[in-house]
Amino acid sequence: GDSVTQMEGPVTLSEEACLTINCTYTATGYPSLFWYVQYPGEGLQLLLKATKADDKGSNKGFEATYRKETTSFHLEKGSVQVSDSAVYFCALSPDSGAGSYQLTFGKGTKLSVIP
Amino acid sequence: EAGVAQSPRYKIIEKRQSVAFWCNPISGHATLYWYQQILGQGPKLLIQFQNNGVVDDSQLPKDRFSAERLKGVDSTLKIQPAKLEDSAVYLCASRPTGRHEQFFGPGTRLTVL
């Protein structure tokens, strides 16, 4: 079945440091890929998405590129802020032909940014 | 546009008691999902509705969990009787037709003592 593997946390960075959170997936065809962010005590918010190979999703300074050849969707940000402290989840939705549109999530990576 | 609403936000119960959670999806979203998120893990799908019909409940522990979505809008998830291992955040999400992304509510944090 489908699966998502993301780097173990927690990750602690100083403000203005560069961030990379690795995410790889296993799925047939061309799934849609997502990064969701969960701030303390809140639900998940969609951060960015990519629906086909080589697409780059971007939002709030975060970027991720859909790499079919390496089945990866790594999250990057050039300069993190304290307000970016949260748990980040990589997720996939099966190829449209599968019909269910169910999300499979990674285990999450907790990011803490210190001033 | 209003987001997904859930209530209550927090609930503490004793084991063997029953509990119910409510969800109101984004207006016009036909598909609704309930997830269980145990501390330190990603959300796990419990049940998926399309309008008022169940699409997938294969991961719902049906001996104690039940869910309904009458009239294809609001949904309730019930646990009866609760066990200690049911302590988790219960997330509701809805999805617009033809799109892959889901929109999540704030969740209900359940503690079973």
Side-chain angles (χ1 to χ4, degrees):
Chain A
D2 297 345
S3 66
V4 175
T5 303
Q6 60 182 106
M7 63 185 282
E8 297 281 331
V11 174
T12 302
L13 296 174
S14 296
E15 206 165 22
E16 300 183 2
C18 295
L19 169 71
T20 299
I21 301 178
N22 292 334
C23 171
T24 57
Y25 69 89
T26 301
T28 57
Y30 290 82
S32 293
L33 302 175
F34 306 88
W35 278 100
Y36 281 84
V37 58
Q38 188 173 35
Y39 298 101
E42 298 185 13
L44 277 71
Q45 298 177 23
L46 178 64
L47 181 59
L48 53 83
K49 67 177 183 180
T51 57
K52 59 183 186 292
D54 300 324
D55 265 3
K56 178 185 283 189
S58 61
N59 186 27
K60 299 181 181 180
F62 290 89
E63 292 183 339
T65 301
Y66 188 144
R67 301 289 188 197
K68 177 66 173 172
E69 63 276 15
T70 54
T71 62
S72 65
F73 192 55
H74 304 322
L75 182 68
E76 299 176 327
K77 188 174 186 182
S79 176
V80 295
Q81 305 300 312
V82 172
S83 56
D84 294 326
S85 298
V87 181
Y88 292 82
F89 292 93
C90 185
L92 71 80
S93 178
D95 195 298
S96 298
S100 71
Y101 296 92
Q102 291 180 4
L103 289 175
T104 298
F105 287 89
K107 292 186 176 180
T109 302
K110 183 176 181 180
L111 170 66
S112 296
V113 180
I114 54 177
Chain B
E1 174 180 83
V4 176
Q6 288 188 248
S7 67
R9 292 295 312 275
Y10 305 92
K11 190 75 177 177
I12 300 173
I13 61 173
E14 301 277 336
K15 60 183 179 183
R16 290 188 289 274
Q17 286 186 324
S18 63
V19 64
F21 313 126
W22 173 82
C23 173
N24 186 21
I26 293 172
S27 178
H29 287 194
T31 309
L32 183 148
Y33 306 82
W34 282 101
Y35 291 87
Q36 181 191 59
Q37 185 181 18
I38 292 173
L39 186 65
Q41 299 183 20
K44 184 189 85 169
L45 180 70
L46 292 174
I47 189 167
Q48 176 185 350
F49 290 94
Q50 179 75 17
N51 296 309
N52 60 350
V54 175
V55 174
D56 184 355
D57 64 357
S58 59
Q59 299 187 75
L60 188 73
K62 298 181 189 63
D63 58 334
R64 297 183 301 105
F65 286 65
S66 64
E68 60 183 11
R69 192 184 182 196
L70 301 176
K71 302 180 182 179
V73 181
D74 294 8
S75 177
T76 56
L77 176 69
K78 297 179 182 177
I79 307 175
Q80 183 179 10
K83 292 185 175 181
L84 296 176
E85 59 261 36
D86 297 332
S87 294
V89 176
Y90 291 85
L91 295 165
C92 179
S94 66
R95 181 179 63 79
T97 301
R99 290 168 59 181
H100 285 257
E101 60 265 37
Q102 297 178 21
F103 296 87
F104 286 80
T108 296
R109 182 176 296 278
L110 173 67
T111 302
V112 182
L113 302 176

